[in-house]
Amino acid sequence: MKIMIKTLLSALTLSLISLQTVPADSKILEQNFKKNYPEIPIKSVSPSPLPGIYEVYAASKIIYTDETAKYLFFGNLIDFKNKKNLTEERLLELSKINTKELPLDQAIKYVKGNGERVLYVFSDPDCPYCQKLEHNMTSIDNITVYLFMYPLKKLHPQAEAVANKIWCSNNQYEAWEDYMLHRKAPKNAAQCETPIQKNLALGQKLQIDGTPTLFLQNGMRLSGSPQNAEQLELLLQETSIKK
């Protein structure tokens, strides 16, 4: 009986090794994924650190599966020994953008201090988290900000009208700051051509589904407002060092 058990265990071990060494085919996986889940648009397919398992980047999320795409795994892949969240690191990398391609003429630009650090912000004037970000920004110096007004009308029905008035103000940044910090609405009639609709199309292209969304100088995306000015300052410093 013991010999039989050892033989079965050996056979099972060899079978597992064989399964692990069979290379998955990303093309087959992509075909199977599209066939099984046609409603989920794939942006990229890459090998994961696990043999035979791939990461599928879709809808701003990472999905793990094998080449059959029959079963999907959601969650964080952790390198416990090195204390790294591999999924989080990959999401940061995959959600980066090329900031050189941003249409800066659609943004309100303002400079503080020497302006050496650069931040790109998509913000809704009636979003409370965006207002919190503006309060935090008052203590940040030596920065150039490109502010893309991005009103989410489903959440804030009046936000687009406010954004249009701010854009048509004589001093756009002053009007923005007055509204965000002091809730002082611009008094002009907003009779000028604005880029708000273009910003909404741009945001959809960049898969921005919430505000504020920030992009650092290296293109790294930050969804949501940093908790305080100190946290934002650390992120800006780290980006400047890596630049």
Side-chain angles (χ1 to χ4, degrees):
M1 179 65 72
K2 288 182 179 179
I3 294 173
M4 186 180 294
I5 291 171
K6 285 182 179 180
T7 304
L8 287 170
L9 287 173
S10 298
L12 179 60
T13 302
L14 286 170
S15 298
L16 289 172
I17 292 172
S18 299
L19 283 171
Q20 290 175 354
T21 54
V22 174
D25 188 320
S26 61
K27 293 293 183 184
I28 294 175
L29 161 59
E30 191 168 346
Q31 290 170 5
N32 288 335
F33 196 98
K34 288 178 178 178
K35 178 182 176 182
N36 295 341
Y37 316 100
E39 71 282 4
I40 303 178
I42 294 176
K43 290 201 73 176
S44 67
V45 175
S46 306
S48 82
L50 301 175
I53 300 296
Y54 276 68
E55 67 172 38
V56 178
Y57 183 51
S60 302
K61 299 183 185 301
I62 287 180
I63 305 165
Y64 296 104
T65 187
D66 65 0
E67 67 176 21
T68 67
K70 185 176 180 181
Y71 301 105
L72 306 181
F73 303 88
F74 296 86
N76 292 316
L77 187 60
I78 307 295
D79 181 347
F80 190 75
K81 182 179 179 181
N82 295 306
K83 296 180 172 57
K84 288 184 177 181
N85 186 326
L86 302 180
T87 303
E88 191 175 85
E89 288 182 0
R90 284 292 291 154
L91 276 173
L92 285 174
E93 189 63 32
L94 290 166
S95 64
K96 274 186 176 181
I97 66 167
N98 183 354
T99 55
K100 292 181 180 179
E101 295 180 353
L102 288 173
L104 301 184
D105 60 328
Q106 296 173 203
I108 296 173
K109 177 184 177 181
Y110 64 93
V111 181
K112 296 174 69 176
N114 61 28
E116 64 181 358
R117 285 99 58 88
V118 182
L119 188 66
Y120 307 88
V121 181
F122 284 74
S123 190
D124 179 328
D126 284 341
C127 158
Y129 299 103
C130 301
Q131 293 158 19
K132 178 183 176 183
L133 173 65
E134 288 303 319
H135 281 278
N136 289 336
M137 289 293 294
T138 58
S139 60
I140 302 294
D141 201 8
N142 300 328
I143 189 169
T144 298
V145 177
Y146 290 95
L147 168 66
F148 293 84
M149 288 189 287
Y150 190 66
L152 301 176
K153 288 182 66 175
K154 287 185 178 179
L155 295 175
H156 310 120
Q158 304 306 315
E160 185 174 351
V162 173
N164 285 326
K165 286 187 176 184
I166 290 172
W167 183 266
C168 295
S169 299
N170 292 330
N171 187 323
Q172 294 173 329
Y173 177 62
E174 184 179 282
W176 171 260
E177 197 170 42
D178 278 346
Y179 189 76
M180 299 303 281
L181 299 182
H182 312 300
R183 309 311 293 160
K184 182 181 176 182
K187 295 179 180 179
N188 60 299
Q191 293 179 348
C192 74
E193 187 176 344
T194 78
I196 305 305
Q197 289 301 317
K198 291 180 181 178
N199 287 351
L200 294 174
L202 174 64
Q204 289 178 358
K205 181 181 176 183
L206 297 176
Q207 296 186 326
I208 296 174
D209 54 10
T211 55
T213 293
L214 290 68
F215 293 97
L216 300 177
Q217 199 162 355
N218 63 359
M220 190 174 85
R221 178 190 306 246
L222 303 174
S223 297
S225 176
Q227 292 185 2
N228 48 51
E230 290 76 15
Q231 188 182 70
L232 178 57
E233 181 63 40
L234 286 172
L235 288 165
L236 291 168
Q237 287 178 9
E238 186 179 348
T239 308
S240 298
I241 291 169
K242 290 179 179 179
K243 190 174 59 173

